Amino acid sequence: MLLLGVVQAQAVGGAAGGATFELIEQRVLDSSESSVVFSSLSTLAAGYTHLQIRMTLRSDRSDTEDLLRLRFNGDTGSNYSTHALLSNAATPTSTSGVSQTRILAGRFAAASSTASAFGAVVCDILDFANTNKNTTIRSLAGNTSEPRVILSSGAFLSTAAVTEITLAPDVGTNFVADTRISLYGIRGG
Amino acid sequence: MPTPTYVPLATITLGATEADIVFSSIPATYRDLILVGNVGTTAAAFANGELQFNADTGTNYSRVQAIGTNVNTAVSFAAGSENAIKAILFSDDLVRGTNIFQIMDYSATDKHKTVLLRSSIMPSGEDRVMMSAGRYASNTAISSLRVFPSGASFSIGSTWSLYGVN
């Protein structure tokens, strides 16, 4: 056995080697919320090339699983495509959709899941401020309540810079308390 | 004010074969942990791997995984009946594989710990890529973790790095 104690001097004091991955904003819900919105990104996320959202989620849907709805700039039109490779306990499958009104960026635990079980999602949003291309996302999510592991991708079919991100349960009404959603900025070269 | 994060906490490159790696005394300072490995083992082709927290060897772990090999796909699920998250693949020593584990909300005391895992290995004729989710059914903050291959040892030159993310 090789036992490594984590060096406290390294652990305290912030990032080594320059600030390229930074926490912009974090929401830990004290009570149920129907959505989480990160806005004013032209200011808050100025200087970053990509974004990452890291989440532990649970909704009030009366099921073991809910789906994560992602929209940009408050756009509710049919301006998204979404795709996924997913599996449950028995079968790997795939889904896709064009002209969608949102990106489905993963799946997570819901009200019928084991108590204290939350689903995890890590979502990368690439070149979010670039006005020469559509914004694309990639997301890895999983929970052992449904059970489910899912790799998703999606596109916002607009070259507008992303200035607002809205996350919500796609079926349930609310994210429940203790849900955590953190937005990070990643600087490019 | 943005907070710089993704802090390297510990890293190791093995100078000898090891049956397991334990990271201990993990501070509760961060939100998530990310464990990254570039790893080989003494297995003939590949080895299954396991992840435990807080020296807990009870049946407190569950997992779901999807694997693509060079010939087919497969899925597997174990609900709260195992003594580790057994959703990891390690390569042999010829072509080391890559493992990335996202340990979410590891220091939280109000929820179980969910882990997102990715493994990719390319030993000859046994190529595999796997995505997995695991859950440690405990509200206790994680202060140590142990990772090990089943029936093999990590080979010399394998590297593991642990990062904290605010």
Side-chain angles (χ1 to χ4, degrees):
Chain A
M1 169 189 291
L2 186 61
L3 182 63
L4 297 157
V6 173
V7 178
Q8 185 67 18
Q10 280 181 293
V12 176
T20 56
F21 190 98
E22 297 182 318
L23 173 64
I24 298 172
E25 191 172 346
Q26 188 156 254
R27 309 279 181 83
V28 181
L29 302 186
D30 294 324
S31 59
S32 294
E33 296 282 351
S34 60
S35 66
V36 170
V37 181
F38 295 107
S39 58
S40 303
L41 294 180
S42 57
T43 302
L44 290 180
Y48 298 111
T49 301
H50 311 299
L51 300 173
Q52 184 176 92
I53 308 178
R54 304 176 65 86
M55 302 168 259
T56 52
L57 306 169
R58 187 176 174 111
S59 85
D60 59 3
R61 180 189 184 192
S62 296
D63 201 321
T64 53
E65 182 180 73
D66 207 333
L67 290 77
L68 179 61
R69 179 194 310 158
L70 170 65
R71 289 188 171 128
F72 294 117
N73 298 350
D75 190 332
T76 61
S78 301
N79 298 316
Y80 304 90
S81 62
T82 188
H83 328 85
L85 172 66
L86 62 162
S87 76
N88 55 16
T91 309
T93 60
S94 63
T95 66
S96 69
V98 297
S99 301
Q100 300 291 295
T101 60
R102 74 277 189 254
I103 293 171
L104 294 176
R107 301 190 185 189
F108 56 97
S112 301
S113 298
T114 304
S116 300
F118 284 64
V121 183
V122 177
C123 178
D124 293 308
I125 304 170
L126 306 175
D127 282 332
F128 72 100
N130 193 314
T131 57
N132 297 313
K133 58 181 76 167
N134 298 335
T135 299
T136 55
I137 73 109
R138 183 199 67 179
S139 184
L140 179 64
N143 74 87
T144 62
S145 299
E146 171 61 14
R148 181 88 64 198
V149 60
I150 177 169
L151 179 64
S152 309
S153 69
F156 175 40
L157 302 176
S158 166
T159 56
V162 170
T163 58
E164 181 179 286
I165 301 170
T166 303
L167 297 155
D170 195 58
V171 181
T173 303
N174 296 299
F175 294 123
V176 302
D178 300 324
T179 288
R180 185 266 297 194
I181 300 177
S182 306
L183 176 68
Y184 300 84
I186 302 167
R187 297 188 189 278
Chain B
M1 182 71 178
T3 304
T5 186
Y6 215 119
V7 180
L9 301 182
T11 194
I12 180 70
T13 299
L14 299 185
T17 60
E18 294 288 345
D20 59 3
I21 299 293
V22 177
F23 290 92
S24 64
S25 303
I26 300 172
T29 314
Y30 301 94
R31 179 66 65 175
D32 302 328
L33 297 173
I34 300 175
L35 182 61
V36 179
N38 180 233
V39 172
T41 69
T42 57
F46 67 93
N48 295 312
E50 303 187 22
L51 178 64
Q52 290 174 332
F53 299 116
N54 295 347
D56 186 345
T57 59
T59 52
N60 298 313
Y61 302 86
S62 55
R63 60 174 166 90
V64 57
Q65 61 196 60
I67 305 170
T69 72
N70 51 335
V71 293
N72 60 17
T73 60
V75 298
S76 178
F77 167 61
S81 58
E82 297 185 322
N83 62 357
I85 293 177
K86 300 181 178 183
I88 304 167
L89 292 172
F90 295 127
S91 186
D92 63 11
D93 193 38
L94 296 177
V95 181
R96 297 211 174 104
T98 300
N99 303 92
I100 302 174
F101 309 150
Q102 311 266 358
I103 306 165
M104 308 293 284
D105 271 344
Y106 78 99
S107 60
T109 57
D110 53 14
K111 55 174 69 94
H112 293 174
K113 311 305 180 285
T114 301
V115 186
L116 300 176
L117 308 98
R118 286 183 286 154
S119 298
S120 59
I121 64 173
M122 288 175 287
S124 178
E126 298 286 354
D127 300 1
R128 282 165 168 76
V129 62
M130 181 162 74
M131 61 177 181
S132 317
R135 177 165 56 89
Y136 173 44
S138 170
N139 287 3
T140 302
I142 290 172
S143 58
S144 69
L145 65 87
R146 174 180 177 236
V147 59
F148 57 99
S150 301
S153 296
F154 292 124
S155 55
I156 296 171
S158 295
T159 63
W160 284 104
S161 297
L162 182 67
Y163 300 88
V165 177
N166 289 105

